[in-house]
Amino acid sequence: MSVTIKSEREIILMRDAGKILAEVHEILREMIVPGITTMDINKKAEELIRAKNCIPSFLNYNGYPASVCTSVNEEVVHGIPSTNRILMEGDIISLDAGVIYQGYQSDAARTWGVGAISAEAKALIDVTKQSFFEGIKFAKEGCHLFDISNAIDDYITSFGYSSVRDLVGHGIGTQMHEEPQIPNFRQKRRGMKLQAGMTLAIEPMINIGRYDVCVLEDDWTVVTEDGSLSAHYENTVLITKDEPELLSML
Ligand code: MF3
Ligand code: CO
């Protein structure tokens, strides 16, 4: 399948999906306190998503067993919620979730601190979020796709961080993963020209240490190879002729 340009009707549904997902994230954020388990977060996420007449897109996707990915500390993405994983003061956790509303998808991730966190952890979270905003300065008609990748990478490398290479952002629409793939690290080519009506999930995954990652025995959890902390920030974005519209932000 190639890149899809959404019609005005489709954009309205993607706006609805994105708004619902943004609201889910706002509520989940308030749950992030020492002592709760990652399964508590998953239960709440699934309940909220279904209460808004959406389907949790991650559940059973390629066999993934939950509605939200909960990735703690050196876990980069795809952490599986568990009743045994209790959040501790000083942890950082990324929550990645997706919803399907009337056939249209939204995908977004946030990283939060649990209680008081180190200055080092806070800086990683802030820079990762800002790298998304640096990237989307180029998310408009006429720019090239890899302008986004390069802006993200140049920003985070200026802090000495590394951008994960094995995982990328993606187009999104009726499918969670559509073309194009969107790397978060510097590219030699410019990539395709962006057009109004494209919807993209842009999602920097940033490590304090090296970019190398590996997958745990559970076949899902991606962790940094060097054990360094990792953060993730993602929104579903609509390309327009001017500023991008952030569909999964309130
Ligand atoms: N947001 C992720 C992505 O963009 C997570 C999907 S993995 C899943 O690919 F299996 F949990 F769905
Ligand atoms: Co995604």
Side-chain angles (χ1 to χ4, degrees), residues 57-58 61 64 69 78 96 107 170 176-177 203 220 234:
S57 56
F58 292 8
Y61 183 86
Y64 185 76
C69 298
H78 304 168
D96 187 357
D107 183 5
H170 48 94
M176 175 158 54
H177 294 132
E203 50 178 320
W220 277 105
E234 175 181 29

Side-chain angles (χ1 to χ4, degrees), residues 11-29:
I11 289 168
I12 288 167
L13 294 174
M14 291 205 56
R15 260 187 208 121
D16 291 339
K19 182 165 187 285
I20 290 166
L21 181 55
E23 288 167 359
V24 168
H25 268 300
E26 288 299 310
I27 295 168
L28 296 181
R29 175 184 191 169

Side-chain angles (χ1 to χ4, degrees), residues 131-132 135 148-156 163 184 202 204 206:
S131 75
F132 166 89
I148 300 172
S149 313
N150 294 342
I152 291 170
D153 199 22
D154 289 353
Y155 185 71
I156 66 97
S163 190
N184 298 298
I202 299 171
I206 307 300

Side-chain angles (χ1 to χ4, degrees), residues 17-238:
K19 182 165 187 285
I20 290 166
L21 181 55
E23 288 167 359
V24 168
H25 268 300
E26 288 299 310
I27 295 168
L28 296 181
R29 175 184 191 169
E30 293 166 15
M31 291 184 75
I32 307 303
V33 293
I36 64 150
T37 72
T38 51
M39 185 59 87
D40 295 330
I41 301 166
N42 182 64
K43 286 212 180 93
K44 185 72 177 177
E46 178 163 2
E47 186 185 302
L48 290 167
I49 291 167
R50 293 199 191 279
K52 290 170 188 283
N53 293 315
C54 290
I55 298 167
S57 56
F58 292 8
L59 187 61
N60 301 320
Y61 183 86
N62 291 337
Y64 185 76
S67 297
V68 57
C69 298
T70 53
S71 307
V72 182
N73 296 337
E74 79 288 355
E75 297 172 359
V76 178
V77 287
H78 304 168
I80 300 176
S82 161
T83 53
N84 297 323
R85 185 76 199 237
I86 302 168
L87 296 184
M88 306 287 185
E89 177 120 26
D91 284 342
I92 65 170
I93 181 169
S94 94
L95 303 181
D96 187 357
V99 304
I100 309 172
Y101 179 71
Q102 294 186 20
Y104 284 85
Q105 306 238 357
S106 195
D107 183 5
R110 306 281 183 261
T111 301
W112 306 119
V114 182
I117 59 172
S118 68
E120 194 189 31
K122 179 161 193 321
L124 175 69
I125 292 172
D126 292 347
V127 168
T128 300
K129 179 175 181 181
Q130 185 57 32
S131 75
F132 166 89
F133 288 97
E134 296 298 321
I136 64 163
K137 288 178 181 171
F138 299 93
K140 61 173 96 167
E141 184 159 282
C143 288
H144 289 257
L145 184 65
F146 298 156
D147 297 341
I148 300 172
S149 313
N150 294 342
I152 291 170
D153 199 22
D154 289 353
Y155 185 71
I156 66 97
T157 54
S158 76
F159 293 86
Y161 299 150
S162 310
S163 190
V164 172
R165 300 186 170 212
D166 293 359
L167 297 147
V168 295
H170 48 94
I172 182 168
T174 59
Q175 309 299 313
M176 175 158 54
H177 294 132
E178 297 186 356
E179 284 183 36
Q181 295 196 32
I182 312 169
N184 298 298
F185 57 98
R186 194 157 250 293
Q187 302 293 302
K188 294 206 170 70
R189 298 168 194 277
R190 301 184 75 188
M192 69 170 59
K193 247 191 174 178
L194 298 175
Q195 275 178 55
M198 289 179 176
T199 43
L200 306 176
I202 299 171
E203 50 178 320
M205 291 153 268
I206 307 300
N207 303 345
I208 287 188
R210 297 182 57 85
Y211 62 72
D212 311 78
V213 296
C214 46
V215 180
L216 296 185
E217 280 291 303
D218 63 16
D219 272 343
W220 277 105
T221 312
V222 177
V223 297
T224 57
E225 214 173 87
D226 62 10
S228 66
L229 290 181
S230 186
H232 185 197
Y233 187 84
E234 175 181 29
N235 280 304
T236 301
V237 172
L238 171 67

